[in-house]
Amino acid sequence: MAVDTNSGTAAPAPPAPSAPTPPAPQKLIVVTHHLPLSCSLASTAAASEDASRPKSSLANAPAPIGVASPDSKLWLLKPRRGHSALYASINSLRESGPVMHIGWIGQANVACHDGVTSAAVGGGDGGGGKSVDPDWLLSRKDLQAGLQEALSAHDCLPVFLNGKVAYGHYEGYLSGGRESPELWPLFHYILWDTVTDGVAESEYWADYVAMTRAFADAVVAAYTPGDHIWIHDYHLLLLPSMLRERLPADASIGFFLHAPFPSSEIFRCLPKRREVLEGVLGASLIGFQTYSHARHFTSSCTRVLGLETSPGAVQFRGARVAVGIFPIGIDAARAEAACRSPATLDKATALRELYAGRRILVGRDQLDHVKGVEHKLAAFEKFLERYPHWRGRVVLIQVTTPAQRDDPRLESRVSELVARINGQYGSLEFAPVHHYHQQLAVDEYFALLGVADVGLVTSLRDGMNTTSHEFVVCQQDNHGPLVLS
């Protein structure tokens, strides 16, 4: 104890230094266009805009999902269909450290239609139901907070968009069509064949930029020094540079393109080509599925931006941006377990009995131009024409799922092809082509792959088709060949 020399009394000892606060553990921030969970409002009656209702009435909302807040119990969450390989790979990373998943909630649906108000719902959800109006949801901070809390239990952080931005960036700039120069068609070598005044395209681009800013706000709010950021696919091409402008210079930002990157001759047709390239080049590392996609990207950087490039890097604004090749795979153990599940085995037995004595060809694709469904059907028709002894002894089971953009003309052509083949080579007892335009349950899908004698994956342009990987896993007993374009 110290002594005060003036008074002779003992002075209190100085306080012991406090222990330094341990740094927060580094986390991986995964950013995808959609969250891996789809969201449904459990009861629009409970979420009515009538402010006079007591808050406690929300406690009677159905189906609690394991979190305490009454507002969060208004939301029902379930796994989103599609992109299973991506979401499985992200989930596997949770074993090695904390992961936060940021994404757009997409189209939120109404799970219970009691007391539905016109302000609360928009159009149909594509399945005969109702969807939550995004502008109404933006006005309800209580429901947004409830959804954030519900998603936080799954380490997810939602991004909310208003109706104009939601439609303009997705249906407009990303999906586009033959009549508009947008990203998805161009990246798959589909060029537009009409002339426009450019007004709609400018509005779609503004919506795309606004969407990306909303994502940037969410990532910046969640970021702490030392975190790693991993951005996925063409939906978020501008995000790396937006984050680079707002985060510390040493922030670790990775970008991975799942879609193919077109040749520079095709890419230069994009009006906003410079902005797109500069947006991606804000990343520290850019990944592609194949060497050709990476080569097309670096070639476009040279020809459009005049940058110095090498096979593994691009020099951009005094920094070296690494370029790598990382082909995506699947969770083989999970796929094998699904193939061996009792439900899958039961359905496989039923399929073998249904098609007993016949060879089974299986295809499963999205119904869009780049998946080659028309070409597959035309090739099967030619096969039956050239080899008549196979008629009645082989069946093609073609499953198609809805594409990112509806194309009634393509759907009509596919239906006509199926009808023509069945009419020419089928009979009352047998149809050589069975076409199912629907989403399959997991056990049905793996049962179909398991009983197939031949797998047909005939995409014209694709990033990495994981159906071929799953087919190989399911064929460990049958050893059927895979026809891969």
Side-chain angles (χ1 to χ4, degrees):
M1 180 177 292
V3 177
D4 188 336
T5 55
N6 295 324
S7 63
T9 61
S18 59
T21 303
Q26 292 182 350
K27 63 180 179 291
L28 174 64
I29 300 177
V30 176
V31 191
T32 60
H33 185 237
H34 281 94
L35 286 173
L37 299 169
S38 62
C39 312
S40 297
L41 190 59
S43 171
T44 53
S48 171
E49 291 181 297
D50 185 359
S52 64
R53 296 187 61 182
K55 188 70 172 180
S56 60
S57 66
L58 297 178
N60 296 321
I65 53 178
V67 285
S69 168
D71 285 331
S72 68
K73 294 179 182 179
L74 287 171
W75 292 98
L76 304 177
L77 307 178
K78 63 180 181 179
R80 187 182 299 276
R81 288 185 177 271
H83 305 290
S84 58
L86 169 62
Y87 297 144
S89 65
I90 293 172
N91 285 333
S92 67
L93 295 174
R94 300 182 189 277
E95 301 173 0
S96 57
V99 176
M100 174 178 287
H101 198 144
I102 296 177
W104 178 37
I105 65 170
Q107 182 174 264
N109 296 325
V110 178
C112 181
H113 293 183
D114 58 322
V116 174
T117 64
S118 58
V121 300
D125 62 0
K130 292 290 186 178
S131 60
V132 178
D133 183 85
D135 294 321
W136 177 82
L137 181 57
L138 280 178
S139 69
R140 295 297 305 273
K141 300 301 182 183
D142 56 333
L143 293 181
Q144 292 182 50
L147 181 54
Q148 287 175 339
E149 184 175 357
L151 288 168
S152 67
H154 302 272
D155 299 318
C156 292
L157 180 65
V159 173
F160 298 96
L161 302 175
N162 64 43
K164 178 181 180 300
V165 171
Y167 177 86
H169 91 272
Y170 192 57
E171 300 294 339
Y173 197 77
L174 290 177
S175 298
R178 288 183 178 273
E179 70 282 357
S180 57
E182 318 305 354
L183 281 180
W184 189 91
L186 187 77
F187 274 30
H188 291 81
Y189 290 76
I190 299 175
L191 297 178
W192 51 98
D193 50 17
T194 58
V195 178
T196 69
D197 58 8
V199 174
E201 287 79 3
S202 298
E203 292 180 356
Y204 292 156
W205 170 256
D207 293 333
Y208 183 61
V209 173
M211 177 274 298
T212 311
R213 286 203 184 101
F215 271 81
D217 293 340
V219 175
V220 170
Y223 177 84
T224 55
D227 288 348
H228 301 284
I229 302 170
W230 188 16
I231 304 167
H232 288 268
D233 221 4
Y234 67 97
H235 313 87
L236 302 169
L237 290 166
L238 305 182
L239 186 55
S241 282
M242 286 191 181
L243 294 178
R244 185 63 66 193
E245 294 172 356
R246 299 173 61 179
L247 295 179
D250 61 348
S252 174
I253 303 174
F255 177 87
F256 184 79
L257 183 66
H258 294 258
F261 196 92
S263 66
S264 60
E265 291 80 10
I266 297 294
F267 183 77
R268 282 186 291 178
C269 297
L270 185 67
K272 297 294 184 179
R273 53 193 175 272
R274 294 185 64 91
E275 291 86 343
V276 166
L277 288 177
E278 291 174 350
V280 179
L281 288 170
S284 314
L285 170 65
I286 304 172
F288 297 91
Q289 301 271 19
T290 67
Y291 171 76
S292 62
H293 299 164
R295 180 172 55 83
H296 291 162
F297 174 76
T298 56
S299 175
S300 295
C301 289
T302 298
R303 298 186 179 187
V304 175
L305 299 179
L307 300 177
E308 182 180 344
T309 64
S310 64
V314 176
Q315 300 296 328
F316 180 63
R317 295 178 180 172
R320 180 182 184 274
V321 181
V323 176
I325 302 163
F326 313 102
I328 195 173
I330 64 171
D331 187 340
R334 173 179 168 274
E336 186 172 5
C339 292
R340 305 290 184 184
S341 70
T344 299
L345 295 177
D346 289 344
K347 286 185 169 56
T349 300
L351 287 170
R352 290 190 183 97
E353 293 174 354
L354 181 62
Y355 299 106
R358 294 185 173 92
R359 297 289 186 177
I360 303 174
L361 281 62
V362 170
R364 187 246 197 178
D365 311 272
Q366 282 189 338
L367 190 55
D368 60 41
H369 290 277
V370 302
K371 298 301 182 181
V373 177
E374 282 185 279
H375 302 74
K376 184 186 304 183
L377 291 170
F380 184 63
E381 182 180 29
K382 181 65 68 175
F383 171 78
L384 294 177
E385 176 188 332
R386 289 186 177 180
Y387 305 99
H389 61 281
W390 278 105
R391 298 173 189 173
R393 298 171 54 196
V394 63
V395 59
L396 170 61
I397 303 175
Q398 176 63 53
V399 179
T400 55
T401 55
Q404 297 189 41
R405 53 194 177 96
D406 293 331
D407 191 334
R409 291 180 297 179
L410 175 60
E411 295 175 10
S412 177
R413 290 197 299 270
V414 168
S415 297
E416 291 173 2
L417 262 173
V418 171
R420 187 174 74 197
I421 296 171
N422 287 338
Q424 186 169 356
Y425 300 108
S427 63
L428 292 176
E429 297 82 16
F430 172 70
V433 179
H434 292 220
H435 178 216
Y436 303 98
H437 186 60
Q438 64 187 65
Q439 294 278 4
L440 294 181
V442 173
D443 52 357
E444 294 174 333
Y445 171 59
F446 282 105
L448 194 59
L449 295 183
V451 303
D453 294 294
V454 178
L456 298 177
V457 180
T458 56
S459 301
L460 306 180
R461 297 282 178 183
D462 216 345
M464 184 63 67
N465 194 309
T466 56
T467 299
S468 57
H469 296 178
E470 292 161 337
F471 177 82
V472 172
V473 172
C474 293
Q475 286 288 315
Q476 295 186 51
D477 298 327
N478 203 24
H479 302 293
L482 171 66
V483 179
L484 183 63
S485 65

